[in-house]
Structures are given as C-alpha cells and as structure tokens.
Amino acid sequence: MPLLHFLSLPCKPDRPYVTLRSCRYHLPTVRPCCSCDMPNSIVIAERLNRVTDTHREATSTPAGATMPRGTGVRRILTIARNAFREAVRDRVLYNLVLFVLLLTASAIFLGELSAAQEAKIIVDLGLSAMLLFGTFIAIFVGTGLVYKEIERRTLYAILAKPVGRGEFLLGKYLGLCLTLAVNVSVMGVGISLALLFVKRGYDPLALRIWPAVALIYIELMIVVAVALLFSSFSTPALAALLTFAVFVIGHFSADLKTLAAATGTTAARIFFGLLFYLLPNLSHYTKLTDAGHGLMPAPSAFIVALAYALIYIAVLLAAATFIFNRRNFK
Amino acid sequence: MTVALEIENLTKDYEVGFARKRRVRALDGLTLTVERGEIFGFLGANGAGKSTTMKLLMRLIYPTAGRASILGCDINDIAMHARIGYLPEHPYFYDYLTAREFLEYCAELFGYTRTDCRQRAAALLALVHLDDKSWDKQLRKFSKGMLQRVGLAQALVNDPEIVFLDEPMSGLDPVGRREIRDLIASLRHKETTVFFCSHILADIEVLCDRAAILQKGRLAHAGRLEDLRGRAGTRAMELVVAGATAEQLRAALQPLPAAQLTQTPGGARIEVPSERDVDAALAALRDCGARLVSVQPVGNPLEDLFVANQN
C-alpha cells in the first residue's frame, strides 16, 4: 500500500479497489484492498467486478426458487438413483443380452422334446440363470459399491455434504437393489415370453413362475446386504469370497442344523448351531423345481420369507453402518 | 467479527504397520481460529498435515484428540454441512456422469428442487469458465484442470458460508490459475469465508488476509500476512530507475550510505535496507531527474519463513 502513495497515484474513493503488488519471484498481481485506483489496474479491476457479479447471479437463490429442504429420505433416494445410473453406465445390465441368448437357444434346441418337458426346462434354466447372474451382480458389484468410492475418493466430496454415512450406505444399497429389480424383472418377462412362445399360446406357467421370481429377488437383496457388510471392512476380493461362502452355506443351512444335532461334542454342536442361526437360510428362496411344476409357495410361507429377509437385511445394514461410521478414510 | 472456524488442540495419530503397529502423529495439537469473511491460507510442505486437517474438518477421519467447530456448530453436526463447501485434494468424481449431471446430483443432495438444481449447475459451470461444449461430456474425458473447475463448482453449489479448498490451483494452466484465483478473490464480496490449503506461496500472498504455516503436523506460525512477513526480518527494497547516469545517481544518494547502486543496461538498480528508506531515496532520485521504473521488495519474506521452518 505505501508504495502506491510513493508513486503519487490517483486515489478515488468511489472507484473499484485494486492495488498492484509485485516482488522478485512473481509477476505483478492483483488484490482488492483499499479505495485506490490506478490507470494500469482498471482492466483488472473490471475483470474482478465482472467475476463477482457473475458469481452473485450464479449462486444466489433464483427468484421464486424454494430454499433447500434436505430430508434424509430424499438424500437416500438421490444416492440410490445415482448408484442405479452408475450400474447402467458401467454396463451391468448387459448380462441380460447373454440371458436372452441363452433362453432363445434353449427354446430352439429343446424343440425336439415334448411341450411339457420343454416348459419345465425353460423355467429351470431361466430361473437358475436368473439366480446365478443376479448373485454374480450382487457379489461383484455389491462388494465394490463402497470400496470403489473410497479407493477412487469419490465419496470425499459427497460425505462433506450434509449426507450421513448411514444414508450413503443405504442409498448405495437401494441403488443396487433397483438395478437387480430391473434385471430380475426383465429376465422374468423373458422367461414368460419364452413359455408363451414354446406353447404357441397362453401357458399358466408364465404367470405362476412370478412368486418364485420374487423370492429369488428377495434372496439377492440379502446377498447384496451381506456383500455390503463385508465390503465395509475388507477388500473387494475378500468380501466377494466371504459373501460367496455365505451364499453357498446359506443354501445348505438345513444341513447345518442336522450336523449340529448329529455332532458328538458340545463345542461342535454349539458352533454349528450358532452358524445355523447366524447365517441366512437361503433355501427358502430357491423354489426352482416347484416353479417348474407350476407350484406356487403358500402365501404364509411367502410372507414369512419376506419378513425374515427384511429383518435380516435391517440387521446387516445396521452392522455395516456401525462399522462404516467408525472408518477413517485416509 | 464472528468466528467461522475454531480448531482446538486437534490431534490425529495414524496407525502404521501390520504386525507391529506403531502410531505416527500426523497433526499435533493444532489450535486455530478463522474469522468470518476472511480468506485464510493454510500453508505447509507436502505431508505437513494440511489435508489431514481438512479431512478431520470434513469428518472423513476422526481426531485422536481435540475438537473443532465450523460456524459455531460441532464438525459432527451433519446439518451444519449444508452451509459449507469442500473441494478435495486431487478431485475425483463419478467419471460416468457428465459435468452437468454431477453438479445437479450435488445440488440435489442439498435438497434443492429439480429446476433449481438445473439452474445452479448451469450457472456454476459458467462461473468456473468450463467450456460449454464440455458440460455434457462424461467426467472420464476431462483433463485435470477441467476436473478442478468442476470440483470448485461443486464446492460452491450450495452458496456456502465457508468454503474449504484443498489445493484449488493444482493441475491448472496459468490462465486457469488466474481465473480460479479471481474467483476465490470474488468470494470475499459475498462475505464467504475461504479456508484454503496450498504450498504455493504466490497464491497465498495474493489472496489471503491471514495465513498459518504448518510444519510436520505442528503450527509454526499464524497471523496476518504482514505480521508473518515482519517475522522474517526487515525487508530490503529495490528501486529500478532510468534517465540518469550512474554518477548523477551516486551523487544524489550521498545522504543514504546504506543504498547500494548497481548499473543495469537500461539504467540502475538501487537497493535500500528497509521500507523506511524508500521515501528518502525517491526524493533524492526525483531531485536528480531520474525516472522511476519500479519499486519492489527484495526476495520473498514469506518464502524465507516457509523455508526456514522446513529446516
């Protein structure tokens, strides 16, 4: 500042402020400071003012716009929608192409068999592929859901916003569930159409498979929650391995109970008994053979399976949030 | 003035090693206050603890000891985060989104309406001078400088009262640096408090009211830039003059024995030991008919202070 006065520069209080500073190591620079103005700084001063005005227009609330109303539910849904968009743009749904090819091929090549068998094979094959593809997505995308965000540091900017870690986790979870819902629905429609095609007309099986489709979807929701829990404290590879182990053991859950009863030692009995109650019983959700025969689960069994899944998922997500809340993102 | 940011004895230890864990102190008892409306520079070498401080304030990591409050609220108060903005170091954003989609997504997280989100995204992309052909390109196709601009835009999306910028100029070309610097300077007119980390002294000098220098996790200096410069010692001043011979100048500078005269092709360079001598030197030079080309401090006191702290 004193330098300007040494140079006897004009001082007009009503003009924009700028001072010119310079030193040996960098070029003259600009700094809004006092009410001094000088000829060679006018251009810079104007530029500064223009930037200021643009910013005011840009960030002040536009006329008539409502002020932010950030609710937890809305934030969760926003994150879920983005997670769905991520899955779509990462071409996760491309597995549907493979599924359609598989169904078409099976419908064509199984033409030799009798119509009843053909329909049963289509249902078996279709539902198995639905479970398999869905499980792959649930495990591989599910374990990367959070890890990828930490690894790529994309969550830094998001968590600095008014977003709770639990909300973030739940949003990501729902996003993948939405992806799986689209995947499973399209596959279900594919199977129904294939059934109509091989029967050359209406087949009641085309509708009767849907409770089984819904059960597969509920199972996938459990698998995603398991994957999310493991990925909240380990690497994707380990989390995928553990989730796959839970998936396999979960399908043989009833055997664990038998094993617990048959084992001689108390320690082993407690261990297998604990494992039985701790791991999800996924065998309730795989009704492929029944569906092939046109058998639908009893409504009460369906409701119990749904309630069990919702409680199990809630516990898993609460545990994942508990762990995630304590993590340091270095 | 009210306090925008208050940090009290903030300490962070990291555990390193797998089998034999040991603790490394990344931040050691940092105590700092930033007033509302000021631009505060947070200086430090790489690894000094700048980003650790930022991450602690953004609750990305948790402190080992100490506390901090932003705008009078504890840092763990999630609602308070609706009033602040943050640009992370080396910004990485969802590369499958376009710049426009990303900003709209960020605005949605603050609870703005759809129309408002769209307006904000467009206005901010224009504000950070992002070429409008790139607005609808996926971020994976963006250069580092372009990402930095998007990062700054997302930090301002909620019209924050205080904005935390971690190395906002990194990866930018000279034009980009100037634009972002002007943009940060313009935040002052909105009375937005700016807390920004950098190891580039020029940026701090140009923009900041006050600064803190961090060294190996400890606060080495904090205060107004003038005070910090003062701590580095008296500043010698350099006057470049033309239009007079060396003899004339030597004669004119007789009353100032401390002034050192060096002849240059276009005239002469005179160095006086302190700012106080500049007035006398200028008077003498006017008397002998010399034309003043420039007056500037010799060296950079802030740089001297910064370097002194590293050794």
Side-chain angles (χ1 to χ4, degrees), chain A residues 21 24 31 47 55 59 62 66 68 74 81 89 149 152 159-161 163 165 325 328-329, chain B residues 59-60 62 81 92 94 96 101 108 110 112-113 119 127 154 159 178 182 190 208 229 269:
Chain A
R21 299 172 58 242
R24 181 176 272 185
R31 182 173 191 216
R47 192 155 50 80
H55 181 65
T59 55
T66 49
R74 194 175 160 194
R81 205 158 47 87
R89 296 203 180 161
E149 294 256 0
R152 293 187 186 172
L159 288 187
K161 296 183 170 44
V163 178
R165 290 191 183 187
N325 266 333
N328 281 307
F329 304 117
Chain B
R59 74 200 162 95
L60 294 169
Y62 297 111
H81 284 254
Y92 294 97
Y94 301 113
Y96 52 87
E101 283 170 343
E108 268 181 65
F110 284 99
Y112 292 108
T113 60
Q119 282 175 357
L127 179 76
Q154 65 82 31
D159 204 6
R178 170 59 72 91
D182 288 352
K190 285 177 58 66
C208 296
R229 284 193 196 101
R269 176 184 171 276

Side-chain angles (χ1 to χ4, degrees), chain A residues 2-3 5-8 17 21-26 28-32 44 47-49 51-52 54-62 65-71 74-75 78-79 81-83 85-87 89-91 149 152-165 167-168 172 324-330, chain B residues 12 14-15 55 58-62 78 81-82 84 86 88-90 92-98 101-102 105-106 108-114 116 119-120 123-124 127 138 140 154 156 159 178 181-183 185-190 202 205-206 208-209 226 229 237-238 269 278-279 282 286 292 295-300 303:
Chain A
L3 295 180
H5 299 298
F6 291 140
L7 298 170
S8 310
Y17 325 126
R21 299 172 58 242
S22 65
C23 79
R24 181 176 272 185
Y25 295 108
H26 57 86
T29 44
V30 158
R31 182 173 191 216
I44 308 166
R47 192 155 50 80
L48 263 180
N49 288 337
V51 169
T52 313
T54 324
H55 181 65
R56 272 203 203 99
E57 284 161 24
T59 55
S60 59
T61 309
T66 49
M67 285 307 286
R69 285 175 291 108
T71 63
R74 194 175 160 194
R75 284 193 293 269
T78 305
I79 294 167
R81 205 158 47 87
N82 193 49
R85 191 157 50 178
E86 177 181 3
R89 296 203 180 161
D90 282 349
R91 302 180 175 92
E149 294 256 0
R152 293 187 186 172
R153 302 183 202 169
T154 44
L155 110 169
Y156 287 11
I158 304 302
L159 288 187
K161 296 183 170 44
V163 178
R165 290 191 183 187
E167 290 172 2
F168 179 78
K172 295 293 278 185
F324 196 58
N325 266 333
R326 273 151 192 77
R327 277 195 72 166
N328 281 307
F329 304 117
K330 287 175 197 169
Chain B
K12 177 67 186 170
Y14 285 119
E15 276 192 345
K55 284 184 188 172
M58 294 303 120
R59 74 200 162 95
L60 294 169
I61 53 177
Y62 297 111
I78 290 179
H81 284 254
I84 67 171
Y86 170 56
E89 189 187 12
H90 312 302
Y92 294 97
F93 305 117
Y94 301 113
D95 55 8
Y96 52 87
L97 294 182
T98 66
E101 283 170 343
F102 178 64
Y105 172 58
C106 290
E108 268 181 65
L109 289 175
F110 284 99
Y112 292 108
T113 60
R114 278 287 165 81
D116 207 2
Q119 282 175 357
R120 271 171 193 270
L124 280 160
L127 179 76
Q138 283 190 335
R140 68 183 60 170
Q154 65 82 31
L156 298 173
D159 204 6
R178 170 59 72 91
R181 205 161 62 192
D182 288 352
L183 180 66
S186 76
L187 292 173
R188 186 195 301 271
H189 299 275
K190 285 177 58 66
E205 283 205 281
V206 173
C208 296
D209 304 297
E226 285 75 10
R229 284 193 196 101
M237 300 295 285
E238 176 195 79
R269 176 184 171 276
V278 174
D279 233 351
L282 278 172
R286 272 202 203 103
L292 182 67
V295 184
Q296 57 191 7
V298 176
N300 185 342
E303 185 176 75

